[in-house]
Amino acid sequence: MNKKLFALLVTLILWGSGFAGVRAGLRGYSPEHLVALRFAIASLVLVGYAYLTRMRLPQVKDLPAIALGGFLGISTYHLCLAFGQQTVTAGAASLLNASSPIFTALLATAFSGEKLTARGWLGIVISFTGAALISLGEIRGFHFNFGAVLILLAAISQGFYFILQKPLFKKYGAFELATYTIWSGTIALLGFLPDTASVRLASLESTLAIAYLGIFPAAIAYMTWTYTLSQISAAKAASYLYLVPFLAIAIAWIWLQELPSLLSIVGGIITLTGVFLVNLQET
């Protein structure tokens, strides 16, 4: 197995587990406390990695781009995802988040000057139809689930993050860039760190879930994903993310005994069909 494929598989499996991990963590922590603690742990792990590898510091002129990437790809993305998963199941959240490749393709097209084909635009319409069905499938009572909207915002933020990273690969290695991004995103989250009393009151299961999230889907998976992104185009790399929902649903079923509604699953299949059409033009 080559390095690209191995890194991609590790990323998909760990990110697939992240949705169930967030739901488990939310049983004992508020969304903002969960995200801040998760990435504080991830940052500490990466401090150790940076020390052992004698990682260089980024150039001052690149700090704004790195900070923006961390804010969008870490702070904004994960806060929206955690708040959204208060009312959306892990499987449905992963299905909604699978729309991220569409936004990545749109942004890549905008920045590169390329044009989407008619098939690409059709894919976008189909995917948003599927996203609407997921939102309806996750309603509680007779109101639209705003958590689904937050997860779509997370997907948009992730699309911007993927595009922002690509130019920086000319100067930095994949592991360096992943580390800088997580550190910068964590700085923006420091004000949300829980106090010791909150940690003591939380269940051990929730605390262990957050520790898992910080080490594996955050520190390790972001490094393997950034390596993947450094090897292939942003649109093509993002298109592989539509495999994550299937892993997320299976892991959530095993870990939490949780499944999305039938309407959400149908909406997810429609969304993924649209994602496939958008990315079919990427060769």
Side-chain angles (χ1 to χ4, degrees):
M1 183 182 296
N2 63 46
K3 291 181 180 179
K4 281 191 294 186
L5 180 58
F6 178 75
L8 180 61
L9 285 175
V10 169
T11 304
L12 295 179
I13 292 169
L14 292 182
W15 277 359
S17 71
F19 292 92
V22 168
R23 289 283 285 182
L26 286 172
R27 292 173 176 175
Y29 290 86
S30 65
E32 66 274 21
H33 285 173
L34 182 152
V35 175
L37 186 56
R38 171 184 183 177
F39 281 95
I41 292 170
S43 291
L44 288 174
V45 170
L46 292 175
V47 165
Y49 173 79
Y51 176 77
L52 291 174
T53 59
R54 298 186 178 182
M55 185 181 295
R56 58 178 174 161
L57 294 175
Q59 296 179 20
V60 174
K61 64 181 179 181
D62 294 324
L63 290 180
I66 291 171
L68 182 58
F71 178 74
L72 292 173
I74 303 298
S75 311
T76 304
Y77 171 77
H78 286 282
L79 283 172
C80 287
L81 198 62
F83 274 101
Q85 282 196 252
Q86 287 184 300
T87 56
V88 176
T89 62
S94 67
L95 289 166
L96 272 172
N97 194 61
S99 61
S100 175
I102 289 177
F103 301 115
T104 303
L106 283 170
L107 292 167
T109 298
F111 281 101
S112 65
E114 298 174 3
K115 294 182 179 180
L116 277 173
T117 63
R119 181 170 53 201
W121 286 111
L122 176 63
I124 289 173
V125 173
I126 290 173
S127 288
F128 277 109
T129 301
L133 288 177
I134 297 172
S135 300
L136 292 172
E138 296 294 307
I139 59 172
R140 301 292 183 267
F142 294 95
H143 63 278
F144 188 81
N145 191 340
F146 185 66
V149 177
L150 288 174
I151 293 170
L152 279 177
L153 288 175
I156 295 170
S157 180
Q158 188 178 62
F160 275 104
Y161 162 64
F162 291 161
I163 297 302
L164 280 168
Q165 276 196 319
K166 289 299 287 187
L168 293 171
F169 287 127
K170 297 175 182 177
K171 292 185 178 181
Y172 303 103
F175 294 163
E176 289 178 324
L177 192 54
T179 300
Y180 302 154
T181 301
I182 287 178
W183 283 346
S184 63
T186 302
I187 290 171
L189 295 168
L190 290 178
F192 297 124
L193 277 173
D195 55 29
T196 53
S198 298
V199 175
R200 285 199 302 268
L201 288 172
S203 66
L204 178 61
E205 178 189 1
S206 297
T207 303
L208 290 176
I210 293 176
Y212 170 80
L213 289 169
I215 296 169
F216 294 98
I220 294 176
Y222 267 89
M223 294 182 83
T224 54
W225 170 254
T226 307
Y227 174 78
T228 301
L229 196 61
S230 70
Q231 300 297 307
I232 58 179
S233 71
K236 187 172 183 179
S239 70
Y240 287 106
L241 296 181
Y242 61 74
L243 297 173
V244 168
F246 301 103
L247 294 167
I249 290 171
I251 294 168
W253 178 60
I254 295 169
W255 188 346
L256 306 172
Q257 292 76 55
E258 178 184 273
L259 283 172
S261 68
L262 179 60
L263 184 58
S264 292
I265 292 174
V266 172
I269 293 170
I270 293 172
T271 298
L272 298 181
T273 301
V275 171
F276 175 76
L277 287 174
V278 171
N279 288 279
L280 196 62
Q281 63 187 10
E282 175 70 20
T283 57

